[in-house]
Amino acid sequence: MTASVVDIIRFIVLVGLVVLFVAMGVNHFLPKPARLMAKMIPPRLRFAGPLRPIVLVYITGACEVLGGIGLAVPVTRAAAAFALVLFLVAVFPANIYASEHPETFRSLSIPFWPRLAAQLVLIALIAWVGFF
């Protein structure tokens, strides 16, 4: 492939990631999805007070929105990519917990191995558009 074709593909992936993270982040602020996501937080990570589950959902939503916007801005792209990679690693325990409880989380309960594969592909795409 020529450099221009790779640049076009990279731009399309970048736009897709920006839209994906902003949309997923906004979803964290909608009442019904937010309540369900709060239940996804593993019991050992559930706290009372300022870090109660619903607040963590709002914080992670803000991280996704800001990370998506950060990817869109060339000056902040590398920092946003780094932050989103860390973010995806940090929230993975919630995805594992959801995969272990399909009766509770329905469509959010993606089995572990496909979820891990998807997470790794997402991390690779973020790194590609953010660092290379």
Side-chain angles (χ1 to χ4, degrees):
M1 274 191 260
T2 65
S4 61
V5 171
V6 172
D7 289 341
I8 291 168
I9 294 169
R10 187 170 179 250
F11 178 75
I12 291 168
V13 170
L14 173 64
V15 170
L17 288 170
V18 168
V19 170
L20 176 74
F21 277 101
V22 170
M24 287 186 337
V26 167
N27 196 43
H28 282 66
F29 295 96
L30 302 176
K32 188 175 179 181
R35 283 191 304 274
L36 185 59
M37 286 182 235
K39 292 178 185 177
M40 286 176 63
I41 296 171
R44 70 182 185 281
L45 298 175
R46 291 183 193 163
F47 306 106
L51 292 179
R52 64 191 183 278
I54 195 69
V55 173
L56 293 176
V57 169
Y58 297 149
I59 290 169
T60 57
C63 290
E64 287 179 317
V65 170
L66 293 172
I69 293 169
L71 283 179
V73 179
V75 169
T76 60
R77 187 167 297 145
F82 182 75
L84 285 171
V85 167
L86 290 178
F87 171 82
L88 289 173
V89 171
V91 299
F92 198 67
N95 295 315
I96 293 170
Y97 183 74
S99 76
E100 294 170 343
H101 299 89
E103 69 287 348
T104 302
F105 300 109
R106 300 175 303 276
S107 64
L108 293 177
S109 181
I110 299 167
F112 176 81
W113 291 110
R115 179 61 184 190
L116 177 61
Q119 202 89 337
L120 292 174
V121 168
L122 194 55
I123 287 170
L125 291 173
I126 292 166
W128 183 50
V129 301
F131 305 128
F132 303 104

